[in-house]
């Protein structure tokens, strides 16, 4: 019997993904039916994105797995109608894009690029930036994206700290975990990068108390998720100078509403959730490999721990 694969994501993505998924499933040797519209009780796998419109999985009576095109699964991981395995996206292209965004913005802060671009006023203050080895950067979250970014920063010779839920050993990165580890890491950090998932345990992880641990004039990069930051506390810390600048890619409400104070704040850079994105060529391979595994009775890759929410 054919394997029925439902593609449930933004319709604009279908023309790009369809040939890639067809090729991958064919190469996997599968007899399949791939479409954007299949009766729910005949679907074996859902290729899923939150904006595909699927939120009630109750009618999907023979579903074997939901395969997310997104790395962040906060909008589906607590869905009680979903009772089969949920796999998230770990995609080489997505990871590479995120590494480039993080390294680019860390270098921007490190080299004081904004200052030199905006100060075309004839002032001549020849203060060269320190070397990367004299700059401490902390990456909160050392998963697929955080570890890659931390490694790239370490390769540039930054002094890199990392923080995760469980203990890690990453060459060139001083790894911390647990509540004490977070305090230890933040108290030394000039530039903080947030690459944590949005879960109940990470909501407002940067709040008035944790931001107060940072040395004065610290900078924040948030390409993780909006709820990781207490927005009121960040605005207060920016206004007091405790935080010198924040570059924010993700927000509690997206698009960021026009009246939100982040837009007008002189010490905030807003980027419109473009730090990275899933790249179809590499992501389709991950989806097809997981369908192959499902059909061969092998364990799925990148399974979400529904209890932890990531
Ligand atoms: P992973 O699941 O691979 O990694 C998550 C990391 O966060 C792990 O190191 C994990 O620790 C750590 N973590 C989770 N909960 C806690 C906690 N309570 N305390 C401390 N550490 C914790 O995710 P990815 O690296 O693939 O992605 C990270 C996030 O990036 C996504 O969830 C998504 O929100 C965001 N993202 C943003 C994009 C953008 O364009 N802006 C694009 C893609 C993703 P441990 O390793 O110990 O489990």
């Amino acid at each position: 019997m054919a394997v029925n694969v439902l593609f449930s994501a933004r319709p604009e993505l279908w023309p790009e993904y369809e040939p890639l998924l067809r090729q991958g499933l064919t190469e996997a040797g599968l007899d399949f039916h791939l479409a954007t519209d299949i009766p729910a009780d005949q679907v074996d796998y859902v290729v899923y994105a939150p904006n595909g419109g699927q939120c009630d999985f109750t009618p999907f009576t023979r579903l074997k797995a939901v395969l997310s095109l997104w790395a962040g699964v906060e909008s589906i991981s607590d869905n009680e109608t979903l009772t089969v395995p949920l796999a998230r996206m770990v995609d080489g292209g997505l990871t590479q894009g995120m590494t480039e965004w993080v390294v680019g913005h860390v270098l921007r802060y490190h080299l004081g690029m904004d200052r030199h671009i905006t100060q075309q006023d004839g002032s001549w203050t020849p203060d060269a930036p320190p070397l990367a080895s004299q700059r401490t950067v902390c990456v909160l979250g050392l998963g697929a994206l955080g570890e890659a970014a931390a490694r790239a920063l370490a390769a540039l010779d930054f002094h890199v700290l990392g923080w995760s839920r469980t203990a890690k050993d990453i060459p060139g990165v001083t790894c911390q975990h647990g509540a004490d580890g977070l305090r230890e890491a933040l108290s030394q950090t000039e530039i903080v990068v947030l690459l944590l998932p949005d879960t109940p345990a990470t909501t407002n992880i940067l709040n008035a108390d944790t931001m107060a641990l940072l040395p004065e004039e610290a900078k924040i990069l948030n390409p993780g998720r909006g709820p990781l930051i207490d927005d009121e506390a960040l605005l207060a810390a920016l206004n007091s100078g405790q935080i010198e600048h924040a570059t924010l890619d993700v927000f509690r409400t997206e698009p960021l509403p026009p009246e939100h104070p982040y837009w007008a704040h002189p010490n905030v850079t807003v980027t419109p959730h473009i730090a990275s994105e899933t790249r179809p060529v590499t992501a389709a391979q991950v989806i097809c490999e997981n369908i192959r595994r499902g059909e061969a009775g092998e364990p799925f890759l990148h399974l979400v721990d529904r209890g932890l929410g990531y």
Side-chain angles (χ1 to χ4, degrees):
M1 190 162 45
V3 180
N4 290 330
V5 180
L6 175 70
F7 185 83
S8 176
R10 271 191 297 131
E12 309 90 89
L13 294 179
W14 175 239
E16 205 171 351
Y17 273 97
E18 186 191 2
L20 296 167
L21 290 170
R22 281 194 189 287
Q23 185 186 341
L25 294 170
T26 304
E27 285 171 4
L30 294 170
D31 173 18
F32 64 91
H33 171 55
L34 170 70
T36 53
D37 189 13
I38 300 174
D41 62 356
Q42 293 172 30
V43 173
D44 295 294
Y45 298 91
V46 175
V47 179
Y48 170 89
N51 41 26
Q54 213 61 255
C55 54
D56 180 7
F57 292 93
T58 316
F60 289 76
T61 47
R62 73 176 225 197
L63 192 60
K64 296 174 183 165
V66 170
L67 309 172
S68 173
L69 288 171
W70 287 28
V73 287
E74 66 278 0
S75 64
I76 185 176
S77 82
D78 64 354
N79 184 326
E80 287 176 3
T81 69
L82 180 62
T83 54
V84 298
L86 168 66
R88 56 188 216 90
M89 181 49 66
V90 176
D91 157 33
L94 172 74
T95 304
Q96 177 63 24
M98 183 60 80
T99 299
E100 291 175 11
W101 190 92
V102 169
V103 169
H105 285 284
V106 167
L107 282 172
R108 167 180 153 241
Y109 280 145
H110 169 61
L111 298 174
M113 286 178 178
D114 291 351
R115 194 166 62 245
H116 293 292
I117 289 166
T118 54
Q119 267 183 11
Q120 295 290 353
D121 58 359
S123 63
W124 187 264
T125 42
D127 298 328
L131 294 176
S133 58
Q134 298 165 282
R135 186 82 73 189
T136 304
V137 184
C138 179
V139 181
L140 304 185
L142 294 171
L145 301 179
E147 176 173 347
R151 282 177 181 268
L153 292 166
L156 288 171
D157 219 17
F158 282 100
H159 178 223
V160 184
L161 310 176
W163 184 72
S164 50
R165 190 177 55 82
T166 57
K168 304 271 178 214
D169 183 8
I170 303 172
V173 180
T174 304
C175 297
Q176 309 271 7
H177 65 285
D180 290 345
L182 180 63
R183 277 191 289 278
E184 174 80 19
L186 292 182
S187 62
Q188 306 171 47
T189 297
E190 291 163 84
I191 303 172
V192 185
V193 182
L194 288 155
L195 273 170
L196 292 160
D198 172 13
T199 71
T202 61
T203 302
N204 290 337
I205 196 105
L206 273 196
N207 53 45
D209 292 341
T210 51
M211 278 188 272
L213 297 167
L214 292 163
E216 268 192 27
E217 301 184 356
K219 288 108 180 145
I220 292 172
L221 294 176
N222 186 13
R225 280 293 182 264
L228 299 175
I229 296 182
D230 177 336
D231 295 314
E232 292 299 314
L234 175 57
L235 286 163
L238 286 161
N239 291 337
S240 73
Q242 169 71 23
I243 304 295
E244 185 180 280
H245 202 279
T247 296
L248 309 173
D249 185 59
V250 283
F251 306 91
R252 280 186 160 76
T253 305
E254 296 182 8
L256 185 65
E259 67 280 6
H260 198 285
Y262 283 148
W263 282 117
H265 202 289
N267 297 340
V268 174
T269 299
V270 169
T271 63
H273 202 144
I274 45 76
S276 192
E277 66 177 2
T278 304
R279 312 289 157 153
V281 171
T282 36
Q285 292 169 10
V286 178
I287 298 287
C288 293
E289 170 60 11
N290 254 344
I291 295 174
R292 186 200 67 74
R293 283 170 170 255
E295 292 309 293
E298 296 173 20
F300 291 110
L301 298 171
H302 318 309
L303 278 182
V304 173
D305 180 323
R306 304 283 298 280
L308 293 170
Y310 72 98

